[in-house]
Amino acid sequence: MGLNGIHYCRNQYINTQLAAGITLDPNIIVMESEPSTQRQPSPNPMLRRAFSLPITQYAWREVRKGHPSVALEQLKVPVMHDLAPGEVLVQVEAAALNPIGYKLMSMLPNTVAKRPHTAENDFTGIVVASQGVTEFKHGDAVCGWVSQSMSQMTSQGALCHFVRVRADHCVRRPHNVTPIQAAGVCLAGLSAYKLLFEDAKVKAGQRIFINNGSGGVGSFAIQLAKAFGCHVTATASSTTRDFVLRLGADEVVDYQTEPVAQFLVKNPPEILFDAIVDCHGLSPDLYNNCEHYLKPEGIFATVAPATPSLFATATAGAGLFGRALRPAWLGGVSRNLRLLNLENSKDDLRALGDFISSGKVTPAVDSVFKFDDIFLAYERLMSGRAQGKVVVVVDSDLYVEQKHGKPKST
């Protein structure tokens, strides 16, 4: 009998007892006799492991549309033991918040978002079970993510204690980062990697402009571009300028002084940019005026427009592509436009992991919050002042260790 079969039998037993009106502790299933006649633990490691895992957990579930304080509830939900081939069960140590999380909470109706489901995408933790997976074994430390498509199919997410996820959405945690640093690697890191190397087709030595350099995606994009030998100009505020320079930016444009597009039109670089990577997506002006500062063969790669409603997002996207497809004599923009379409790629995850393992890229962490303080964490993220990732610690011991300056070993 495989591990899934063991979990199935255990769950069937529990359900039978509950149906008969027998109360059981959902987190501990006692398999031994009374203390005076206690048996030795099973020598079968698969059996020991199966019965050591809880059947329920607490998770932050997205139950309705709205602000995180309205949309989220902490609920007890099942731990998904019945894994499909190619899946792993990960005990989550820490998760990271992403702007796309709260934007979709407030934007998408319940039917489109397929609520309820566990919130957020990025996590790091320890593999505790797998089905038909050879790359990871029990006890391996990984970082991974739950893609939007996977979340809608499985209702899984990162803000929980145990997450069921496809193994190809995980990568071994680099040895030189802590769990807190690793929590926010995948979604933001993959976004930056794809924007630079697949959408903008950046080559070594090119001159790159990165909008919103202090955010989660921007902080990865700066480091990846510098690791590739590029000259990087990035936007920042007066308070995040030093942070962006520490990430490796060669030049900084202060977006608080005047609108970025307006500044670049008046002060174009001596050598036009080879690519523009917009990690904010808020204003179409940066693209509409890019002929002044982006080479004719250059590419403008952007995340989806950041707007407060589904209709406004669709309108902004249509407006961008309308200008890109329209001929110049009708007011079009003669520069290639690429919109990020983030799908999972095991090869890209491995490449990102290699950049981190080599020390060329270091995940930037802004702040760390307890699992129960999720609304404070979203408040920090939504303030627009975060420098790097906002991390939520699920493992309480890990939170205590990082507070005392003793990072947990990877």
Side-chain angles (χ1 to χ4, degrees), residues 95-129:
L97 307 186
N98 290 285
I100 189 65
Y102 70 77
K103 290 172 184 175
L104 293 182
M105 276 184 215
S106 61
M107 184 187 304
L108 297 181
N110 292 338
T111 52
V112 176
K114 296 190 177 179
R115 301 183 182 100
H117 60 78
T118 301
E120 289 300 335
N121 308 90
D122 282 331
F123 65 88
T124 189
I126 306 299
V127 174
V128 294

Side-chain angles (χ1 to χ4, degrees), residues 44-113:
N44 187 327
M46 187 179 290
L47 282 171
R48 290 201 305 271
R49 191 157 70 245
F51 286 101
S52 69
L53 298 176
I55 62 169
T56 61
Q57 62 174 326
Y58 281 103
W60 283 104
R61 300 281 282 181
E62 190 177 316
V63 297
R64 61 184 67 87
K65 177 184 175 182
H67 186 277
S69 61
V70 173
L72 296 177
E73 291 184 10
Q74 188 176 163
L75 300 172
K76 183 172 282 190
V77 298
V79 175
M80 305 297 289
H81 294 290
D82 299 326
L83 306 178
E87 290 185 337
V88 293
L89 183 67
V90 177
Q91 185 169 3
V92 179
E93 294 177 299
L97 307 186
N98 290 285
I100 189 65
Y102 70 77
K103 290 172 184 175
L104 293 182
M105 276 184 215
S106 61
M107 184 187 304
L108 297 181
N110 292 338
T111 52
V112 176

Side-chain angles (χ1 to χ4, degrees), residues 305-377:
T307 58
S309 72
L310 188 60
F311 176 77
T313 297
T315 301
L320 277 175
F321 279 99
R323 293 293 299 272
L325 297 173
R326 199 180 306 161
W329 59 275
L330 284 178
V333 178
S334 59
R335 297 295 185 271
N336 288 323
L337 175 67
R338 298 284 186 273
L339 180 66
L340 174 67
N341 179 26
L342 186 60
E343 296 290 344
N344 186 64
S345 166
K346 186 67 176 181
D347 290 340
D348 290 350
L349 276 177
R350 289 196 181 110
L352 183 61
D354 289 342
F355 273 111
I356 296 172
S357 296
S358 70
K360 295 178 180 178
V361 172
T362 301
V365 175
D366 172 81
S367 47
V368 181
F369 294 85
K370 295 179 182 177
F371 188 69
D372 289 340
D373 291 337
I374 190 67
F375 299 130
L376 293 177

